[in-house]
Amino acid sequence: MEKSSLLLAGALLLLPLLVLLRNAATKRSRRLPPGPPAVPLFGNLLWLRNSAADVEPLLLGLFKQYGPIALIRDGVALSDRPRAATSSLLGVTDNIITRANYGPVWRLLRRNLVSETLNHARVKQFAPARAWVRRVLLEKLREEENPNVMEAFQYSMFCLLVLMCFGERLDEPAVRAIEEAERAWLIYISRKLTVFFFLPCVSRHLFRDRLRVAHELRMRQRSLFVPLIEARREYKRLGRQAPEKETTFQHSYVDTLLDVTLPDEGNRPLTNDEIVALCSEFLNAGTDTTSTGLQWIMAELVKNPAVQEKLHAEIQATCRGENEEEEEVSEEKIEGNKMPYLKAVILEGLRKHPPGHFVLPHKAAQDMDVGGYLVPKGATVNFMVAEMGRDEKEWGETAMEFVPERFLEEGGSKLAAVDVYGTKGIKMMPFGVGRRICAGLSIAMLHLEYFVANMVKEFEWKEVPGQEVDFAEKREFTTVMAKPLRPRLVPRRD
């Protein structure tokens, strides 16, 4: 009797493994795409030795070995997100725009962000905030003869996004505290938590110290954000009776989140933890990417003085008043096609140096056939954004050169039709494409154009002997310059 029981138990234990092996064999017969080695039940072994920062050279090796696989259609089937093991291990909510699966919660949160905070009218309301941040940025750049401009960009963008998020213009120590907390969290999860992709039920015990540190970093975020959220809740409660302060704005992203309810969960409001996660997402999406884009674009202008002078000439011609030059390049001056060369410079910077070399990973919602390969349901799919923008087959022999004119029509007076939305064909996708395209694309372009124009108007950006521009890359949360840009800034005005 005992022998029969043991045999039955053994069969029951082996059955799931046999099913997995059979399914794996079936899928192999249907030609899975090439990829890193994986073991049934355990997953990809590369995460034991590599962090997320190492994935690009690994995928580039596969790309060179097997060639590209085109993927343009079937947007709905690739609109889900793979669930990170760290979400359940850390108790982090998936109710945020970048991590929620394609469904009602995602649509609700994205619609709220776009219609209530990123629509044209709301963005215009924050014009005084951008003017204030422009002054903050220029002051930071004047502090040193050869400033580390990336530090100035990051701080300035945090000033702006913190104000947009919480509706309050905070002082420098408060902004610095939020900046440090966000950066520590992002860098830690990208470098230290990928080990949990491999058999989480075991790795959670082997690497419990990493989970402890991650919990502490998350609690640090919460301790900084919750008081600001509660202050905004009180501001909304008081309404017109709220005391007027010069540092307080009438609208903020948090205001909209306090009004969101989840219909599928009894119309409950968002919890503070969910609002903290959404605020963190808002700050990270609008600061690191923009500051990284600014650094690469300004580095190219330092290295290509003829391009910089052509841009400055357009700025001068557009902004010169009847009697004297205006103090700033106003947002009205960069709207429409008034400054086509500025827009071409920004697009060329994003083509050659996209801040994210990958968009956030997608997940196949069903088995798909792509280029003769099976992409099985549940598979993670990545898009190599940088390789698209640098592909000589699409961009010619000058693909690795900085040539803004490629985005202008013949004669240079008008911006050529550029499809960065992926509606006709994908030649570059710095903001992603399709249903999961970056919700902040328009405001990101506005910020890049506004701050680049004003920095070029204010200073001539020159290379410093011994501090030459080096275009070597380093992966952090975004892909940054391995050697930070330190130019010499010559004021153009007394």
Side-chain angles (χ1 to χ4, degrees), residues 296-354:
W296 284 114
I297 292 167
M298 300 314 297
E300 288 286 2
L301 293 179
V302 170
K303 201 66 177 177
N304 296 275
V307 173
Q308 183 181 167
E309 285 312 302
K310 185 173 180 179
L311 175 57
H312 183 249
E314 180 183 73
I315 293 169
Q316 290 292 90
T318 305
C319 298
R320 187 175 293 116
E322 294 182 0
N323 300 315
E324 59 181 358
E325 292 185 8
E326 298 177 12
E327 179 186 353
E328 68 163 344
V329 183
S330 66
E331 294 179 22
E332 288 73 19
K333 289 289 192 281
I334 61 178
E335 289 178 345
N337 196 41
K338 297 173 184 174
M339 300 183 69
Y341 197 65
L342 169 64
K343 296 182 186 296
V345 166
I346 302 303
L347 288 169
E348 179 70 341
L350 292 173
R351 178 198 69 82
K352 188 180 175 187
H353 305 287

Side-chain angles (χ1 to χ4, degrees), residues 116-151:
E116 299 298 329
T117 299
L118 299 185
N119 70 71
H120 183 72
R122 290 293 193 197
V123 169
K124 291 288 285 184
Q125 284 184 342
F126 287 105
R130 283 185 287 277
W132 165 64
V133 170
R134 173 186 61 82
R135 294 189 294 271
V136 170
L137 173 58
L138 296 181
E139 288 171 7
K140 290 291 180 186
L141 293 175
R142 292 189 189 100
E143 287 179 356
E144 297 181 58
E145 185 177 356
N146 307 126
N148 182 336
V149 297
M150 186 60 169
E151 291 182 358

Side-chain angles (χ1 to χ4, degrees), residues 240-283:
R240 294 186 178 182
Q241 296 178 347
E244 292 187 9
K245 294 194 301 180
E246 184 182 349
T247 58
T248 302
F249 270 56
Q250 291 184 349
H251 177 78
S252 77
Y253 181 44
V254 168
D255 293 351
T256 72
L257 297 178
L258 293 173
D259 293 333
V260 168
T261 58
L262 302 179
D264 292 345
E265 299 183 36
N267 285 319
R268 71 165 179 86
L270 297 174
T271 65
N272 271 355
D273 283 341
E274 287 171 326
I275 296 176
V276 166
L278 286 160
C279 290
S280 178
E281 173 187 57
F282 182 84
L283 294 176

Side-chain angles (χ1 to χ4, degrees), residues 455-466:
M455 287 189 290
V456 171
K457 178 175 172 52
E458 192 71 19
F459 303 109
E460 182 181 2
W461 292 63
K462 292 190 172 185
E463 201 167 35
V464 178

Side-chain angles (χ1 to χ4, degrees), residues 438-481:
C438 175
L441 186 158
S442 296
I443 196 171
M445 292 296 292
L446 169 62
H447 288 172
L448 289 171
E449 293 169 9
Y450 177 72
F451 290 109
V452 167
N454 278 287
M455 287 189 290
V456 171
K457 178 175 172 52
E458 192 71 19
F459 303 109
E460 182 181 2
W461 292 63
K462 292 190 172 185
E463 201 167 35
V464 178
Q467 294 282 349
E468 288 82 6
V469 175
D470 184 347
F471 289 112
E473 299 169 342
K474 181 175 72 171
R475 172 66 186 260
E476 290 184 351
F477 175 62
T478 53
T479 301
V480 300
M481 298 180 72

